[in-house]
Each structure stands twice: as structure tokens, then as C-alpha cells.
Amino acid sequence: MKAASFEYSRAADIDEACAMLAADDSARVIAGGQTLVPMMVMRLARPTRLIDINRIAALSYIRNDGDGVAIGATTRQCVVERDALVAAQVPLLARAIPNIGHAATRARGTIGGSLANADPAAELPLIAITLDAVLSYRASGETAEIPAREFFIGPMITTLPAGGCLVGVRFPVWQGEKIGVGFHEVNARRSDFAFVSAAAQVELGADGKCKRIVIGVGAVTDFPMRLDSAEQQLMGTTLDAKAVDAALREALADIDALADLHASAEYRRRAAINLASRAVADAVSHAQGKKAQRNADAH
Amino acid sequence: MRIELNVNGTLHEIEVEPRTTLLDCLRDLLDLKGAHAGCEHGVCGACTVLFDGEAVRSCLMFAAQAAGTPITTIEGVTPGPGELSPIQDAFCETHGTQCGYCTPAMILVAHALLADNPEPTREEIVEAISGNICRCTGYAQIVEAIALAAERMRGANRPRSLSK
Amino acid sequence: MSADRHRYVSTDRRVREDRRFVVGKGQFVADIDLPHMRHVALVTCPYPAARIKTIDKSAALAMPGVHYVLDGRELAEATLPLMTGLDTPNVPRRPLATDVARYAGEWVAAVVADTRALAEDAAEKVRITYEKLPFVLDAEQAIQAGAVLVHQAHGSNVLLDKTFVWGEVEKDFAASPRKLSLRVKWGRSATVPIETFGVAASWDPWREMLDVYASIQMPRYADQISIALQIPVTSVRVHHDVDVGGSYGVKRGIKHTVLCGYLTRRLGFPVRLIEDRLENMRGGDAHGPERLFDVDVAFDDNGIVRSMKMRALENVGAYAGRSPFQLGKPIGAIVGPYKIKSVQYRAVAVVTNKTTQEAVRGFGQGPTNLALERTMDEVANALGLDRLEIRRRNMIRREEFPYTIPSGTTYDSGDYHAVIDKVLANTSYEELKKERDRLRAGGKLAGIGIAACLEPSGGNATFEALLNPSITTSTFMDSCRINVDGMGTITASMHTTSSGQGHETLLGTVIGEVLQVDPDSIRVTRPDSLNSLPSGTPVGSRMAIMLGGAAFHAAHKLKAKLTAIGAHDLGILLERAVYKDGTVSERDAPQNKRAWGDLVQIAFRNYHRMPDGLEPGLAVSHVMQVPTGGTLPTADGRVQMYPCFSFEFHLVLLAIDPDLGTPEIMRYRVGHDCGTVINPKIVRGMTMGGIAHGIGAALYEEFAYDGEGQLMAQSFMDYLLPSSLEVPAVEIIQHVTHSPNTVLGQKGSGESGYLGAPAAVANAVNDALKPLGVSINTLPLKLSKLGDLIAEARDKKGN
């Protein structure tokens, strides 16, 4: 399994990368390569030119820029995994990252790479959609922003324009006393792409009722989905298990779930309800000050 | 294209195609056969090398990308001709290898783990090697090897940096 | 055999092979660079069945670094078809498809180029036009009259349909108050080594020698190369010192080898083919059994199973080499550890348009044990009896050995009840049940899985004669040569490849034990096939018995010669000479002695001091017949199969999340009895590895096909191999019941764990599902299947 031939360039800065992308519509950017290289060696992807953006220092950062926690596109997943700011301010992201692949792939894989790849089962797109993250990209000398929910539009399909390159993503930071997160996924082996995943973040009011809630499920449909109707239904409630279950069942009643050799559509639909339920329950516990369970996954 | 790779402390200037992976470069151009091709798509881990001390899959990196970062292969952690490092010796003591194909990768992962965490629990060892597939041993004697190596290295009073 | 303390055998010695592997100095085939070597890549058929209409090589040949494009017609004109096991001349097998391709991924053309990458570039440019043909994928469909034929000339899809009746089956069924029928399916999986198959071949026309370096585990490898390429077998030199990166049965690459052998002869330079993972999974022809069992048993109210009928329907894929024989080998342990009195066994092998199957660890015993153990559990459930108790009642007792089963094999020895007792002494069955109940109370589904299985060991070829009466092979040899050189150092040789079983350590240990010298002082070599004595290779869990046995006998010959030399030089009668630690001395007068160096001196230089009739030097060899072998089947298909029977008893506690179907093995205990354990580290590793393989086959691994005949699990992203997180901590409780048939009482352990783990896990899952009133008898037990099954059952129950 050897990749088809290509030219290799290193971009010194993002505009150089974009210029090279614009000059050749078969050119692609490479960062961590953990998803691109397998596709290339299987000859499913055949870029004529690879533009290596790993050394663009300006694309690797984690900071709170006033509007949220901004993470540069080439920031390694393992760096985000260990980052104290992320753990404190975007706990849902911190909770989800250890589930991405293996330590060896997180050592190289980047935040931007996983988002741009847009695998329906990937954790980062799910978190981005769940938290209403905003992605930013550079194209034709301009930086533009796009909400996560408008970015992911199909399996491995995004609205990144031709010649554009993702430069970063910003996760909103929830302010509040009682914030909690939950994340669950199910797969045959711990490190596989999820068969089904679910993420939830909750803010409880002083009265213990739900002040704010976001719920997303991944790997069930072509791109992660937010369960808006369930969120609306659960606002202001105590988020008791029965109410949560009912809201989720209703939200997921008619979805056209993916089916493949790993799981049937009906399995995915049912598991989505179950995992989302657990994610919400974890988030509630966490918000109430009980210890959030890390990696308390389905197996 | 011409690239310079830092492998096991030696700088090598080599001519590669852009599409040559780091794995194929190490094996075919630098004659370092210890890293093995198991799947060439990043799942089995038999190609593992240390990249700035971190375990990575060398089949998922093009050699051109690897320039400028210190790379360590199994040949680089072997002390000398006929000698075994404490980790290598521990693998022999517990028989943490059978066919040997996944072994260099497992040992490098052990190096990276123990450099970072000299007293790993069994769970931490299992987690650390979970990205490397073995079809022979069922993992038990590999986990025991790493635990034994950790124990011996803790008692050996050597500086941590030498174990990289 | 002796239960004496041994000096080296059964002690905790290191495995000498480990040294080269931990430093990355194994010599795998991909590590071997021959001067001027070129590389092969394959062009594969995208359809499950297609007529090959045209092949246009021009664009490929025009590419840089490309030397040749070989098609099936040219190869077929120059070579004979590959050897098959059954007598099926109308189902020929060749490395490259000729007129018709019969599975998606079948090799149609081979490109030779300066590098593998260039060969792959050119392979993409070979233009082939196909005419799609109808195809069949399911074995039950394939056996129907009017089914799509995979091989027109054969007239049907059935390669084998043979029924054996041993004992009064109908009578026993009629006389039994209870009967039960069960269908069990072993899904298509294999042991999938991390190293793919590879071969490098180099033809020297002046020496008329084909050098072959391969990751191989195959009996009669050189013979098959010779036959296909039509060159004398003395022109084939297989290098046995290539390290094989795992095989567990499947590294049989004969089509790869014939392909490369032809290419090197045709092109005049060495040629190497290392399968990439896609070539391996789709077209390497290394899939394992895909077997459907229909079992009927007749039993009484006490749970004693008196008779069994079993139909085994095997989907062998599009072609067949030896793989249909995997239906025959289990005949040698067809009743497992139980005293079932009569058996009817129907073995059916059908071709379909799937990848060709190959031998897999256990050669069919694993699937058969699954069927047996699921059946025993269901018998217990039907009667409301404890599943452990049922087994105890049916098992052969220690005092009943040697025990002859209905199909004619005599089991050498065993103490199954003691092994079970030992495991339960370690882990209380009652405590385990309480733990299961606690898990259930906590909302999980939970079950205990039991499996009591045999590992036939020692190897033999008699299943060939059973399924193909034109075969009259009644031996399955192995050999060892020992030479003491003029300096007094010892070299021993073994005559086949290894894939991690520690054979070199085995040899050193056994010879050291007999000669009473340090095993580590013994050099072990692995000469090539032209310098080798016969070997059956490491199949059939045979090497401890056969290589160990050959080494033992050779060492005794050497010891006898040394003793004779010493006695003669001391001027004493042979009966008064004592050999100890390499020295020969006079009994009751030990000051009269000849030390090792003296004996070597005499043998090598002082011929005038040698006894009459002895050859100079100290070279001995032994070629060993398989113990209890030498017979062919009777007319009704009864025969002694393998000589030794190891036993394993698995006890598993497993929990299932009822909403997600995710299984988790909470506890794993296995009792293992393989007789004398020559090297404890090696045997433990085998059992652990076998259990990991078994867990994979039970829960994760499947070569799944879609309705269009495409293999869906083509890479490791979809064919799921257990990692360290999927294999629980296992405790092995070892027991030793010696074999009377072997030199040290040893039995085989190369398949241990794998032969029982799938049955134990399947039984645990079923025990967990029992409160819901459902069962599942198809491997792999994927979590989504479990999830769907549980959801359906709960819906019915109104949960």
C-alpha cells in the first residue's frame, strides 16, 4: 500500500498554503496525516501536491481570546488533551479527547485535521456541533468564520471552500456556577471510531433545574446532530431520567440512522437514546458537584 | 527530494520520494529493519518509532515530514552489540514475545511510558500498549515484562534521560 | 512416563529466540534484500465472479521501472495447478485466474517493477475488461440444486459430501427418551498474523537452484513448488531460517511462491512479493473456517448423552487446497471429552464466490468444540440441570484411559475431573454464581461460561485418507540431527520454520536433558530444505511431541555411542558403564572415567581406541514416526487420528450491558493439561495467545461480505483484532497428566486456549441471555447483534 506520487511543499505561513491550494485543485493540506495518509496509501485520496502546514507556528495555539477558547488548527490532539485551560473552560472537549484513536495517533493528529476530515463518527465534530463552536478558515487572503452546524453537511463533506484551509476553532465557554458535561460512546474496541456517540453539557440554576442544555449524537447520521427538540423540552426541568428518556426518544424517533457491518440502523437509534441519556445524567451529576466519571464508557 | 533525518542520534542525508513513508525510509534507505509493516494504515502499531520521545506510527508519516525531529528506533535503544537494555531483558525474562514481529514497537512504547511514568499500574500499562496489536502472546507476558522492567529500573538508580 | 524431577525440562528457562526479537534483529522475509531484486504487486478482480475478456498491459509496461506483466494464461501454460487435498480435478487452483475469476480480490495479473510503489502504480494501469457472471455466497444456497455454479466443469458446488456412521446411531436415538437439535455457526474469521505473507525467490540457472525465502508454515512446501514449476525438488532450496511473524496455520502462500518462482525463472533476477494488507485480506487465501453445524443429540433424564448426529457444512470459498481437510481432523476428537457412544458425522464442503480458505489453528477443532459445548449447555438447560454437573457425568474418567471413541481414535490419557476440581479450588463456582447474581441485580445481563475441550496434538495425516481414499499416507514425520564437533561442542538441527513457538529452545532443553549438559551450550541450527531431514512442519500442535521426540531419540543415540566409546576405552563391559553429565565412568569405581573431552578425542582423532563397527565422529540423527500412527482407516472410516490429547477447561464470567449489548469479560480462569510442560514460559504464552485469538473469533472478528460479494472487512479498520483492552487478565491453572505415548509425557499446546475460548465465551453470553428467553449461536457475537436481540426480547416481554 504505497501512495500515488505527489509533490511535497512546506508552507511557511497560511497564505502561502492557500496560494498553493488555489494553484492546484488536486493539492491538499497535510497536518497530522492520521486520517489522510491511510486514504492515500489505499489510493482513495490522490492529491498531486501535499502542502505540509505542521510548521506554521501561528496555527498552533490554545488561548482564551475573549470570545471563547480558541485552538489553532495544527494543535496536536495530545496537547489539547493535557491542557489545563481546556480542562477548566471547555470540559466537554477535555472529556471527549481521550476517546480519539490511540495515544500514538493523538501524538500526531490535529484538532483541525479531524474537523476538516468530518468523519461521521469522529469525536471532535460532535463536540464542535454540540457546543456551537465556530470554525475559522482562510481562503483567498481572507479569514472567515462559520458555525459548526453549517460546516458539517455530509459524511466527510464540509462547506470549506475549495482553496480554503481551516485555521482554528473557537469553543464557547459557559459561565455559571453549576456546569456539567457528559460523553459516552460505544464501539467494539475502545479505540475504534464510535458506532454511536453522545455528548451533553448542562447548566443548572440555583434551583437545581436545567438552565441550559445542549445534546449531540454522533455516528448515527451523516454528520453529528443536535437534539434541539429534546433540548427545548428539557429546559427548566429537573432533568430526571424519565423526562430525559422521553425527550430523547421523541427526538430520535424518526431518524434515518446509518447501517453498516458493525451495527444496524435500529441499534444505532436505540444506542443513541441510551448514550445521550447517560451523557445527560453524567452532566447533571457533574454540575451538582459530584465527581464526573472519566471514561466511564459503555465497556 | 533531499532530506535530513535525525535517527538514533545520527544525522542522515537521504534522497527520498515525497511519497516514501518514514517506515519505508527507515527500513529501505537506512537499513533499520526493526520497525515492521503490519498494516500500513495506522492500526496495528508494528511500525511504531519514537518521535521526539513520543510513540507514533511511522507508516502514517511521510519521511519528508520527519526532518528535524529526533527519531528513535529499536536499534537506538539497544545498548550495544550483544547487549540488552533493562526493558529488553525484562521481555526476555517474562517471554513477552513469540514471533517477534510486534516486539520492537511494544518495547518502544514501554520506553516512552516508563520515561513518563516510572511506576505504572497494570491498567496504565494495558492502556499504553492498547495501540499495538499482538496476535501471539495475548498481552499477558508483555504487560508483565513492562511491569518487571519498571520495577528493576526504579531500583537501578539511573537518570531518566538515558532511558529515551 | 516418568514424573521425576527434570534438570532442565519443566524449569523456568528463558526462550533463547527472544534475544534477537527484542533488539529488532529477527530475520523476516521483508528484511531480506537480494541483489537486483524486483518487486511484485497484484492486479485483482473487482467482481465476485467474472469472465476475463481482455488484458491490456501496454500502459503498464510503458511506465518507468516496470519489467513485466504476467497474466494467468501464460502462468498456466508454464506451470501445473496447485496441489489440492480432495480428489477434485475439475476445481483447479492457480496463482492467477485464467479465464474466469471467482471471487472479488482474486489475483488476475502480476506486475514486476523496480520498487513496490512503482509496481502498484503500474498495476493500476493494467486494463482488464470483464464480463460479470452470476455468483453465490451462501453455503446453504450453494448446495441447492440449480444453484449458480462456481466451477462449471465440476457440475456442482459440492467438493465433499461424506457421511460416517460409527456405532448404532439410529438405535441409540430410538432408545433415548430425550432429543435436542441445535444449529451453531462459526463465522468466517482467521488468525490473521500481523506480518502478511511474503516470499522472495531467486533462480540460478547455472546451479539450477531456486532459492526461496518465505514467511511459511506449510507441509510439503518444497514438493508443491517442485510440482507446480515442474523442476526437481532438489532444485528447490527453502531457507528455514527465515523468521515467520506469526502464522497460526495460515501462512501457506503457495500461490505467491509459484508466482514468484515462475517470474524469477522467466526474468532472470530475484523477485519478491510481500502482500500488503489489502491483498492479504481479500486475496491472500488465508481465510479460516466458515462452518454451519446442525447437531442432534439423544440423551436421558440424567443428562447422559448417548448419541450424536452432526452435519458440518463448510464454505471453503472459491477454490480449495488443504482446507476441506479441516472437516476431517476433528473426527479424531468428535465427541470431545465425553463418552458419547455412537456418532453420525456428515462432512460437506462447498465452494462459493468468496476468498479461498486456508488452514487455521486447530484445523477445524475450534469450531467443532464450539458446536459440542453449545450442545452440552443446551442439554443441561433442557433438563434444568447444572451445566458443570452435566459435563462431569458425561466425561471420560481418568481410570478409563486409554479410551477409544466411536470414530476409532484412542485418547491417550487425561484427568478431566481433576482439572475441573483444581480450577474450582482456585475459583469457587458458587462464588462465581453469586458474583453473576450481583451483576444481574445491578442491572446487567451476566453469565458464566464453561467449556471443556480437547486439543488433539502430535499431528498425523490420516484425515486425508478419510476424506480422500486415494491418499494412503500413514506417517507424519519429524527429525533431528545432532553433531558433536571436533572441539566437543554440540550442534543440533531442526528442519522447518518457526513462527514464535520457541522450537530452538525446545531442542536445546530436550537434548540438554538427555545428555545432561547445559541447554544454552547447544547451538541449534535450521538448515535449508536440501540439508534437512523430513519434517511435517509446525502444524497440528505437534512439535513438542515430534521434534521433542526426535531430539530425545537422537540424543539417546549419541549418549549410547558415547557410553560405548567410554566403556571400550575403559576396558569394561557396557553394562558396567555409567553416563553422567557428559562423563562415562565405571559403576562402583568412578575414578575410572573418560570425560567429555576424552570421548571427543577418541571419536575424532584416536580411531585406534574406538570400538569395532562404530563410525568415527559423533554424528547422529533420528527420523521419527508419529506415535500410534501407521494405520489407514477401516472401511467404515475408523482410524487413529492424533496420538495425544491435551485438555482445557474454561470458566468465564461475562457481563453484557443490556442497552448497548456490549460484552465485558469479568473473570477468566482456564485449567490446562498438556502433560509434561517442557518450557513453562512457552506453554503459558501459547495459552494466553490462544485465548486472545478465541476472544477475537467469539466477539470481534469477521470476514463479512455484502450482498454484492464484496469483502466489507478489508482492512484492520473493519476486521477488529483484540487489543490489550479487549483481553482480560487470565489465570491459568496448570495440571499434568502424562501421555504414555511420548518420550517425556508431553502433549501439544500450540492451539491451547483457541480451541476452547470461543465456546466458553459463547456459553457465557447465552447464560447471560437466558433470563430473557433468547439464545444466539452464531459467531461472532457482535455487540450490535446482541443489542438487537436483547431489545427484541425485551419488547416481547413488554419491558
Side-chain angles (χ1 to χ4, degrees):
Chain A
M1 282 152 67
K2 314 296 177 192
S5 288
F6 56 87
E7 301 282 337
Y8 174 82
S9 314
R10 250 185 236 147
D13 59 54
I14 189 61
D15 285 328
E16 194 188 337
C18 290
M20 287 195 257
L21 281 172
D24 178 357
D25 56 13
S26 286
R28 285 188 69 156
V29 145
I30 184 166
Q34 304 301 282
T35 47
L36 179 59
V37 177
M39 296 206 305
M40 288 178 68
V41 297
M42 293 192 200
R43 303 201 175 204
L44 298 172
R46 313 171 66 107
T48 49
R49 176 177 297 276
L50 275 192
I51 303 155
D52 190 333
I53 59 170
N54 282 292
R55 308 208 188 195
I56 304 177
L59 291 183
S60 178
Y61 56 84
I62 304 174
R63 55 180 176 251
N64 188 317
D65 67 358
D67 293 324
V69 172
I71 303 178
T74 62
T75 311
R76 305 280 173 205
Q77 291 157 12
C78 62
V79 170
V80 178
E81 189 178 353
R82 300 193 274 256
D83 189 81
L85 182 70
V86 169
Q89 299 191 1
V90 198
L92 185 58
L93 179 59
R95 175 71 185 81
I97 287 221
N99 291 280
I100 304 177
H102 289 284
T105 59
R106 297 195 296 276
R108 294 292 299 163
T110 62
I111 297 296
S114 177
L115 290 169
N117 188 44
D119 190 295
E123 290 81 359
L124 286 172
L126 171 62
I127 302 305
I129 283 180
T130 303
L131 292 179
D132 283 317
V134 175
L135 291 86
S136 52
Y137 65 86
R138 190 105 178 131
S140 318
E142 305 269 306
T143 302
E145 290 196 341
I146 179 162
R149 292 182 80 159
E150 289 167 37
F151 184 74
F152 301 99
I153 56 168
M156 327 280 283
I157 305 171
T158 69
T159 53
L160 191 67
C165 178
L166 213 56
V167 293
V169 58
R170 189 191 309 110
F171 292 93
V173 176
W174 288 19
Q175 312 294 345
E177 288 279 304
K178 293 170 158 222
I179 312 256
V181 302
F183 178 87
H184 283 274
E185 64 177 39
V186 64
N187 31 27
R189 298 174 309 175
R190 257 272 305 277
S191 53
D192 293 332
F193 270 122
F195 295 169
V196 179
S197 52
Q201 185 157 310
V202 148
E203 187 193 348
L204 301 179
D207 57 358
K209 293 203 180 153
C210 172
K211 209 166 153 194
R212 191 175 171 194
I213 181 167
V214 287
I215 310 171
V217 295
V220 182
T221 46
D222 288 342
F223 50 90
M225 58 186 282
R226 280 277 293 281
L227 303 185
D228 302 289
S229 64
E231 291 170 9
Q232 280 154 29
Q233 228 177 305
L234 293 169
M235 281 284 285
T237 71
T238 56
L239 294 175
D240 64 282
K242 254 181 119 169
V244 169
D245 185 70
L248 293 171
R249 276 180 196 282
E250 205 182 301
L252 290 163
D254 296 315
I255 54 154
D256 199 9
L258 296 169
D260 61 17
L261 77 159
H262 296 300
S264 64
E266 190 42 38
Y267 176 87
R268 284 202 161 89
R269 203 189 60 77
R270 270 194 337 261
I273 296 167
N274 184 271
L275 292 178
S277 190
R278 293 185 204 214
V280 170
D282 278 7
V284 170
S285 280
H286 186 202
Q288 287 167 346
K290 295 167 195 158
K291 190 160 174 252
Q293 289 199 280
R294 200 184 133 87
N295 289 338
D297 266 315
H299 44 84
Chain B
M1 53 186 294
R2 241 184 149 58
I3 62 170
E4 186 184 80
L5 289 187
N6 176 348
V7 184
N8 299 328
T10 302
L11 292 176
H12 298 270
E13 261 215 34
I14 27 187
E15 183 69 35
V16 292
E17 286 186 86
R19 65 170 164 175
T20 304
T21 59
L22 177 59
L23 174 65
D24 287 342
C25 177
L26 292 169
R27 290 182 52 81
D28 299 336
L29 301 175
L30 295 179
D31 212 38
L32 295 167
K33 306 287 191 190
H36 298 139
C39 69
E40 292 184 292
H41 54 279
V43 179
C44 75
C47 66
T48 300
V49 298
L50 299 183
F51 196 69
D52 200 17
E54 280 200 279
V56 300
R57 280 117 156 75
S58 65
C59 75
L60 292 188
M61 203 185 297
F62 294 113
Q65 297 184 278
T69 304
I71 297 160
T72 309
T73 67
I74 188 69
E75 293 85 354
V77 300
T78 303
E83 295 174 26
L84 301 178
S85 73
I87 294 176
Q88 288 165 328
D89 189 77
F91 270 74
C92 291
E93 180 60 34
T94 69
H95 190 46
T97 174
Q98 288 179 30
C99 80
Y101 206 70
C102 77
T103 304
M106 289 288 185
I107 289 175
L108 289 171
V109 167
H111 269 272
L113 170 70
L114 297 180
D116 208 44
N117 179 358
E119 261 188 271
T121 61
R122 188 184 185 276
E123 286 68 36
E124 285 168 334
I125 295 173
V126 167
E127 178 79 42
I129 65 169
S130 64
N132 292 70
I133 307 289
C134 174
R135 290 296 262 175
C136 291
T137 68
Y139 306 103
Q141 287 155 307
I142 293 175
V143 172
E144 288 159 9
I146 298 173
L148 177 63
E151 191 189 308
R152 286 181 172 171
M153 284 162 72
R154 283 197 300 279
N157 201 31
R158 36 203 307 254
R160 279 284 73 80
S161 60
L162 283 184
S163 57
K164 276 215 167 133
Chain C
M1 270 308 114
S2 162
D4 297 341
R5 258 171 303 116
H6 291 118
R7 192 187 296 193
Y8 303 114
V9 167
S10 302
T11 65
D12 208 23
R13 301 187 66 78
R14 288 193 176 195
V15 179
R16 63 170 76 184
E17 289 94 322
D18 293 359
R19 275 179 67 82
R20 60 182 184 267
F21 296 135
V22 298
V23 296
K25 293 289 184 206
Q27 192 182 224
F28 301 95
V29 62
D31 301 339
I32 297 168
D33 295 317
L34 304 172
H36 311 298
M37 181 174 75
R38 267 74 176 210
H39 302 264
V40 178
L42 282 323
V43 183
T44 67
C45 177
Y47 309 112
R51 182 169 310 285
I52 299 162
K53 287 168 57 191
T54 62
I55 302 181
D56 179 359
K57 309 173 186 179
S58 52
L61 286 167
M63 294 185 71
V66 175
H67 294 274
Y68 206 69
V69 178
L70 176 67
D71 62 45
R73 289 249 175 85
E74 178 187 335
L75 188 60
E77 266 153 42
T79 59
L80 290 182
L82 305 177
M83 208 165 80
T84 58
L86 298 174
D87 193 11
T88 50
N90 290 315
V91 186
R93 186 179 168 206
R94 291 185 175 281
L96 299 176
T98 50
D99 304 304
V100 176
R102 294 182 169 86
Y103 64 90
E106 184 175 0
W107 300 353
V108 176
V111 176
V112 184
D114 287 341
T115 66
R116 170 73 195 198
L118 289 172
E120 288 187 26
D121 293 342
E124 289 188 312
K125 294 284 192 250
V126 176
R127 299 263 167 273
I128 305 184
T129 61
Y130 295 98
E131 176 202 328
K132 296 205 293 195
L133 297 172
F135 59 90
V136 61
L137 301 171
D138 178 80
E140 286 187 287
Q141 274 176 35
I143 52 172
Q144 305 289 347
V148 167
L149 290 184
V150 180
H151 293 264
Q152 295 289 337
H154 187 67
S156 82
N157 290 321
V158 179
L159 298 186
L160 171 77
D161 187 349
K162 193 154 183 193
T163 302
F164 300 88
V165 182
W166 303 294
E168 307 269 24
V169 174
E170 292 307 334
K171 217 164 133 200
D172 288 337
F173 263 76
S176 295
R178 302 262 201 162
K179 297 174 200 24
L180 186 140
S181 295
L182 189 63
R183 173 165 268 215
V184 177
K185 176 129 193 242
W186 177 281
R188 182 175 269 246
S189 62
T191 42
V192 189
I194 300 299
E195 183 205 32
T196 61
F197 185 83
V199 55
S202 180
W203 172 249
D204 180 333
W206 292 275
R207 288 182 178 75
E208 292 180 48
M209 187 70 74
L210 182 71
D211 276 286
V212 176
Y213 304 83
S215 181
I216 190 71
Q217 180 205 8
M218 183 178 219
R220 300 195 63 196
Y221 183 47
D223 293 356
Q224 294 180 67
I225 297 168
S226 155
I227 292 167
L229 293 175
Q230 299 171 280
I231 57 178
V233 74
T234 44
S235 284
V236 178
R237 179 160 55 196
V238 175
H239 293 261
H240 292 142
D241 56 357
V242 173
D243 287 313
V244 177
S247 175
Y248 340 101
V250 307
K251 291 262 179 81
R252 302 292 167 111
I254 188 61
K255 71 175 186 179
H256 316 50
T257 306
V258 169
L259 180 69
C260 288
Y262 172 76
L263 285 168
T264 181
R265 278 161 54 78
R266 172 81 181 70
L267 301 175
F269 46 72
V271 167
R272 188 176 81 185
L273 166 59
I274 310 286
E275 289 174 328
D276 70 23
R277 188 50 70 181
L278 294 176
E279 283 165 347
N280 166 265
M281 301 289 269
R282 280 175 99 218
D285 291 358
H287 285 198
E290 180 184 343
R291 193 170 298 187
L292 185 60
F293 292 92
D294 285 297
V295 182
D296 298 285
V297 284
F299 54 103
D300 66 23
D301 294 321
N302 291 318
I304 304 299
V305 178
R306 191 152 164 189
S307 187
M308 176 176 74
K309 296 180 190 174
M310 179 185 276
R311 183 195 74 165
L313 173 62
E314 183 66 59
N315 184 336
V316 305
Y319 303 92
R322 271 178 85 67
S323 57
F325 286 148
Q326 293 184 112
L327 285 163
K329 177 261 178 76
I331 288 173
I334 195 68
V335 294
Y338 308 116
K339 292 189 282 193
I340 300 171
K341 289 278 173 272
S342 61
V343 177
Q344 177 182 299
Y345 180 65
R346 182 177 174 200
V348 185
V350 294
V351 285
T352 67
N353 295 100
K354 287 187 175 181
T355 302
T356 303
Q357 211 183 69
E358 192 46 87
V360 163
R361 200 173 199 176
F363 213 59
Q365 194 65 52
T368 308
N369 290 348
L370 172 74
L372 284 168
E373 288 303 285
R374 282 297 304 125
T375 302
M376 291 309 281
D377 261 25
E378 291 304 324
V379 166
N381 291 336
L383 294 169
L385 289 176
D386 179 78
R387 297 170 296 143
L388 196 49
E389 179 56 25
I390 278 273
R391 285 170 170 84
R392 282 202 175 102
R393 290 182 190 179
N394 279 284
M395 275 175 171
I396 305 160
R397 306 204 69 83
R398 190 190 63 188
E399 54 274 14
E400 292 171 306
F401 287 93
Y403 182 90
T404 304
I405 64 174
S407 54
T409 291
T410 300
Y411 294 165
D412 56 341
S413 68
D415 193 350
Y416 309 147
H417 297 83
V419 175
I420 293 175
D421 288 343
K422 226 168 165 175
V423 173
L424 297 181
N426 171 286
T427 301
S428 153
Y429 191 40
E430 295 311 310
E431 285 306 316
L432 215 55
K433 284 193 218 171
K434 284 189 196 150
E435 216 178 313
R436 177 188 62 183
D437 294 342
R438 274 196 294 273
L439 287 162
R440 287 176 173 175
K444 298 264 190 197
L445 296 170
I448 294 172
I450 294 164
C453 301
L454 296 189
E455 177 185 350
S457 56
N460 204 349
T462 40
F463 47 77
E464 298 178 14
L466 268 178
L467 301 186
N468 181 351
S470 71
I471 295 177
T472 53
T473 308
S474 63
T475 183
F476 211 74
M477 303 170 266
D478 228 284
S479 54
C480 175
R481 191 192 278 121
I482 307 175
N483 187 51
V484 180
D485 54 50
M487 301 289 285
T489 31
I490 307 171
T491 303
S493 61
M494 56 176 287
H495 306 123
T496 179
T497 54
S498 296
S499 53
Q501 305 97 320
H503 297 137
E504 294 161 30
T505 301
L506 167 74
L507 264 195
T509 305
V510 171
I511 296 169
E513 185 73 43
V514 172
L515 295 178
Q516 298 161 20
V517 300
D518 180 4
D520 289 335
S521 71
I522 300 170
R523 167 71 65 186
V524 177
T525 65
R526 216 185 278 266
D528 60 54
S529 58
L530 292 175
N531 286 291
S532 285
L533 296 171
S535 169
T537 78
V539 298
S541 184
R542 62 189 290 275
M543 293 300 268
I545 293 161
M546 293 304 291
L547 180 60
F552 181 92
H553 290 301
H556 270 285
K557 285 180 185 173
L558 182 59
K559 188 172 164 185
K561 183 165 183 177
L562 290 162
T563 310
I565 292 170
H568 181 77
D569 204 57
L570 286 167
I572 61 177
L573 289 174
L574 194 56
E575 304 82 74
R576 291 194 50 74
V578 177
Y579 176 100
K580 185 165 156 40
D581 299 347
T583 294
V584 176
S585 60
E586 182 171 0
R587 188 196 314 280
D588 305 326
Q591 68 279 12
N592 299 341
K593 62 180 188 228
R594 293 295 178 264
W596 185 266
D598 304 323
L599 300 166
V600 171
Q601 167 83 344
I602 295 167
F604 272 83
R605 289 171 277 278
N606 297 154
Y607 191 74
H608 52 280
R609 293 161 71 186
M610 285 280 275
D612 284 338
L614 279 192
E615 292 170 2
L618 290 169
V620 296
S621 68
H622 189 83
V623 180
M624 183 163 150
Q625 160 66 331
V626 57
T628 75
T631 56
L632 289 173
T634 58
D636 62 346
R638 288 165 42 85
V639 72
Q640 176 68 30
M641 195 72 74
Y642 284 15
C644 304
F645 295 81
S646 302
F647 176 70
E648 51 196 76
F649 175 71
H650 298 246
L651 187 63
V652 173
L653 176 66
L654 181 144
I656 303 176
D657 182 300
D659 299 306
L660 297 170
T662 43
E664 185 186 350
I665 299 173
M666 314 291 293
R667 300 262 228 131
Y668 206 119
R669 296 287 181 275
V670 63
H672 184 226
D673 186 349
C674 60
T676 301
V677 172
I678 295 174
N679 184 299
K681 293 190 207 281
I682 291 175
V683 170
R684 182 160 178 262
M686 285 292 138
T687 305
M688 294 294 193
I691 287 173
H693 263 146
I695 289 172
L699 297 175
Y700 304 107
E701 299 178 36
E702 187 179 17
F703 286 113
Y705 284 75
D706 66 17
E708 299 311 305
Q710 298 298 325
L711 178 62
M712 291 193 281
Q714 290 194 32
S715 76
F716 284 176
M717 295 182 188
D718 291 313
Y719 189 91
L720 306 179
L721 306 172
S723 77
S724 57
L725 292 167
E726 283 75 50
V727 181
V730 172
E731 201 176 318
I732 302 172
I733 294 102
Q734 199 73 22
H735 188 73
V736 177
T737 306
H738 299 289
S739 173
N741 293 336
T742 63
V743 298
L744 294 165
Q746 77 276 31
K747 306 184 186 184
S749 63
E751 297 161 359
S752 68
Y754 185 62
L755 297 191
V761 172
N763 278 345
V765 167
N766 278 286
D767 188 46
L769 295 175
K770 194 150 161 258
L772 291 177
V774 293
S775 66
I776 180 167
N777 289 303
T778 302
L779 295 195
L781 302 160
K782 290 184 171 175
L783 63 91
S784 67
K785 271 200 275 176
L786 295 177
D788 287 342
L789 186 65
I790 293 165
E792 205 185 299
R794 280 163 136 190
D795 284 343
K796 279 209 187 106
K797 275 194 153 190
N799 277 15

